[in-house]
Amino acid sequence: MTILFAFISHIGWAVGDVFGVVATRKLGSVSMTVWRGVTACILATCFILPFLWTDFLRLTPEIFLIIVGLTAVTLIADFAFFEGLKVGNPSVVGVISASFVAISVIISVLFLGEHLTLERALAVVTILSGVILCLLDGRTLRF
C-alpha cells in the first residue's frame, strides 16, 4: 500500500508541475503561491478538517508554533519553486525540487539521530549525483 500511495503522490506532483508552469507564467510566483495556499485552506477546511476534531485536543502551544514555522518555510519553498518554474526549465526545476528526499535524510541524521545505512547513503549520493548531472550542460562537456 505504501508504494501505491507513493506512486499516486508522484503522479500528482508531476501533473502539478506541468500545469503549475502554465499557471505560474500567467499569474506570477507571488499570486500562484497565494492562490495555492488559499485553495489548500479551503479544501482542507471543507474535506479534511471535519475528520480531525479529536486531534485538536492534542494541539499544544508548542506544536502550534511548530506548525506556524513549518507553514512559513513551506510558503517560502512554494514561492521559490514557482519562481523557478516561471523563469527556468521546468524539467530541471522538477529534478532539483524532487531531490528534497536526500536533504531530508541528511537533516534526519544530523538533527534526529537517525542511523544512516549503506543503502540510504548510496541513495543520497545517487540523488545528488543526478542533480549535478541535470545541471551540467552536455554541449560544453568534452571527453
Side-chain angles (χ1 to χ4, degrees):
M1 212 52 179
T2 302
I3 294 172
L4 174 65
F5 288 136
F7 279 123
I8 290 170
S9 67
H10 281 263
I11 291 168
W13 285 324
V15 170
D17 286 357
V18 171
F19 290 107
V21 170
V22 175
T24 301
R25 289 184 178 168
K26 289 184 179 186
L27 292 175
S29 305
V30 174
S31 292
M32 186 64 179
T33 302
V34 170
W35 283 113
R36 183 177 176 275
V38 168
T39 304
C41 287
I42 291 169
L43 291 175
T45 301
C46 293
F47 298 108
I48 298 170
L49 196 60
F51 300 102
L52 300 178
W53 289 115
T54 56
D55 288 338
F56 283 122
L57 300 174
R58 296 183 294 179
L59 188 64
T60 63
E62 294 83 16
I63 296 295
F64 182 75
L65 288 175
I66 290 172
I67 292 170
V68 169
L70 289 173
T71 301
V73 169
T74 302
L75 283 173
I76 293 167
D78 282 349
F79 172 75
F81 177 71
F82 291 132
E83 186 67 20
L85 290 178
K86 184 176 90 174
V87 301
N89 183 340
S91 62
V92 174
V93 174
V95 169
I96 293 170
S97 66
S99 68
F100 76 91
V101 175
I103 306 304
S104 296
V105 170
I106 294 168
I107 291 171
S108 294
V109 168
L110 294 175
F111 295 106
L112 300 177
E114 296 275 336
H115 297 288
L116 187 61
T117 63
L118 178 62
E119 293 86 0
R120 288 184 190 149
L122 289 173
V124 168
V125 169
T126 302
I127 291 168
L128 296 178
S129 299
V131 169
I132 291 167
L133 289 173
C134 182
L135 295 174
L136 294 176
D137 186 356
R139 293 171 291 189
T140 60
L141 292 177
R142 289 188 172 64
F143 294 100

